[in-house]
Amino acid sequence: MVPVEYYVGLSAILFTIGTLGVLTRRNAIIIFMSIELMLNSANLLFVAFARTFEALSGQIFVFFVMTVAAAEVAVGLALIVAVFRTKDTINIDEVSSLRG
C-alpha cells in the first residue's frame, strides 16, 4: 500500500504546476487546462484521504467536483470560442474587454 504522504506530495506538485500555469501563461486554453489540473490535484487528495480513513464521503465529493468541472468545461470552452470569433485571438493580454 502506498503511503498517503506520496499522494499529498504528488498533489502538491500538480497543484503547483497548475498555479504556475495560471500565473505565467497568457493563452486562455492553457490557463483553463491549468485550472483543471488544480481541480484534479484536489480530487487526488480527496480520494487518498478517503481511502486512508476508509470513508466513502471523499469519493462521493470527488464525483460532485468532477460533475461541476465538466459543466465548467462546457461553459468555459463556449466562452473561449465566442471570444475567439470576435477578437481572432485567445491571448489574455490582447483581449482586455468583451466589447465588440
Side-chain angles (χ1 to χ4, degrees):
M1 188 166 159
V2 180
V4 73
E5 290 85 12
Y6 292 169
Y7 291 114
V8 172
L10 177 62
S11 179
I13 291 169
L14 291 175
F15 193 84
T16 303
I17 292 171
T19 303
L20 289 175
V22 168
L23 295 177
T24 59
R25 301 294 181 168
R26 295 291 124 211
N27 188 336
I29 294 177
I30 301 294
I31 291 172
F32 199 60
M33 288 184 346
S34 297
I35 291 171
E36 291 296 323
L37 186 63
M38 292 165 57
L39 281 174
N40 285 330
S41 71
N43 285 341
L44 176 65
L45 271 182
F46 282 133
V47 170
F49 283 124
R51 181 176 172 201
T52 301
F53 297 120
E54 298 176 0
L56 191 60
S57 60
Q59 294 176 1
I60 292 171
F61 192 70
V62 167
F63 176 73
F64 286 116
V65 169
M66 288 174 63
T67 305
V68 170
E72 173 196 357
V73 167
V75 172
L77 285 178
L79 288 172
I80 289 172
V81 168
V83 167
F84 180 74
R85 284 184 180 171
T86 59
K87 299 287 186 179
D88 292 328
T89 184
I90 53 174
N91 191 346
I92 299 298
D93 291 333
E94 295 177 14
V95 180
S96 60
S97 69
L98 291 179
R99 287 182 282 160

